[in-house]
Amino acid sequence: MRVTHIRWLGNRNKLATLSAENIYIWNSPGKGIETTTLRRNRASSWTCLAASENCVAAGTAEDRMVIVWNVDRNMVIAALPGQTSPVTSLDFSLDGMYLASTSEETLMVWNIDETEAEDQPLSLGPPHMTRWRNKVPITAAPDDMNRMAVLHNGNVVHLSPVEHSHITSLQLSLDCECVVFGTAEGSVKKYDAANG
């Protein structure tokens, strides 16, 4: 396992390391080894890492997402879609309130305080689609429970009922008012992205 990224967390009592398959948090480096493995509910190929006082963010290759964990609670607090290719770089602002993510074609800045939501899906799509409306990224994607999720600036605003057949494709309308999606069984459905 080749370590590709190392980042200190805030007060330097913890260290985050990243390989293509794993993310570890090392507690009190140099004073005895105690590690925590950060996990996601699906296998991922990690591409980059950033750390703030109590959060760690990692980018993925296959679904072009940024996953953010609260290290103190050892839980995912945000799954941020919208990159057009694998995530190549991440960086927190000095105060830890903002996270910048880049891919080959896209730069996005997220307000981390606004992305913490208890109903945040642990991961989304593929497929997923993001459009900008009034300077806010609107994203539609199926979550791990096979519900259509609609997110504004990374926050879940609507979740459809669970679909019994896997969601295989989708299209978000230009005005971000509706999502049309197809399922593995061949049905095509429309979901009201504006009102749920």
Side-chain angles (χ1 to χ4, degrees):
M1 171 180 49
R2 182 176 150 229
V3 174
T4 58
H5 292 79
I6 300 172
R7 300 288 184 268
W8 287 106
L9 274 78
N11 59 14
R12 300 183 193 243
N13 286 332
K14 295 182 180 182
L15 186 69
T17 61
L18 176 125
S19 68
E21 299 85 26
N22 295 302
I23 302 169
Y24 293 109
I25 302 300
W26 302 79
N27 295 310
S28 302
K31 299 177 184 172
I33 298 173
E34 179 185 326
T35 63
T36 302
T37 304
L38 298 181
R39 301 200 185 279
R40 184 180 179 204
N41 55 350
R42 70 171 65 177
S44 293
S45 179
W46 302 110
T47 58
C48 53
L49 180 74
S52 67
E53 186 72 31
N54 61 351
C55 290
V56 168
T60 68
E62 59 282 318
D63 58 1
R64 304 175 306 273
M65 300 278 290
V66 175
I67 309 300
V68 183
W69 289 266
N70 180 301
V71 174
D72 297 332
R73 297 185 309 200
N74 192 22
M75 66 181 289
V76 173
I77 59 170
L80 308 173
Q83 298 293 349
T84 56
S85 58
V87 181
T88 57
S89 180
L90 294 166
D91 195 22
F92 280 99
S93 61
L94 291 177
D95 60 9
M97 291 180 60
Y98 296 93
L99 175 67
S101 63
T102 62
S103 66
E104 289 181 12
E105 301 96 11
T106 313
L107 165 68
M108 300 185 84
V109 178
W110 306 93
N111 183 331
I112 296 302
D113 285 343
E114 292 180 6
T115 62
E116 292 195 40
E118 291 184 16
D119 60 349
Q120 185 75 32
L122 295 181
S123 62
L124 298 171
H128 71 268
M129 177 175 248
T130 300
R131 294 192 187 276
W132 289 81
R133 183 175 181 197
N134 300 326
K135 298 183 181 180
V136 175
I138 311 294
T139 302
D143 71 0
D144 285 336
M145 295 178 65
N146 210 36
R147 300 174 296 185
M148 182 55 63
V150 177
L151 299 89
H152 292 199
N153 195 30
N155 293 310
V156 174
V157 293
H158 303 295
L159 281 171
S160 74
V162 173
E163 290 294 323
H164 299 290
S165 181
H166 184 69
I167 297 171
T168 56
S169 62
L170 65 89
Q171 182 70 39
L172 180 61
S173 65
L174 290 175
D175 62 5
C176 300
E177 297 288 320
C178 75
V179 181
V180 176
F181 60 93
T183 66
E185 69 181 14
S187 63
V188 176
K189 298 185 178 184
K190 181 179 174 183
Y191 181 67
D192 184 346
N195 303 306

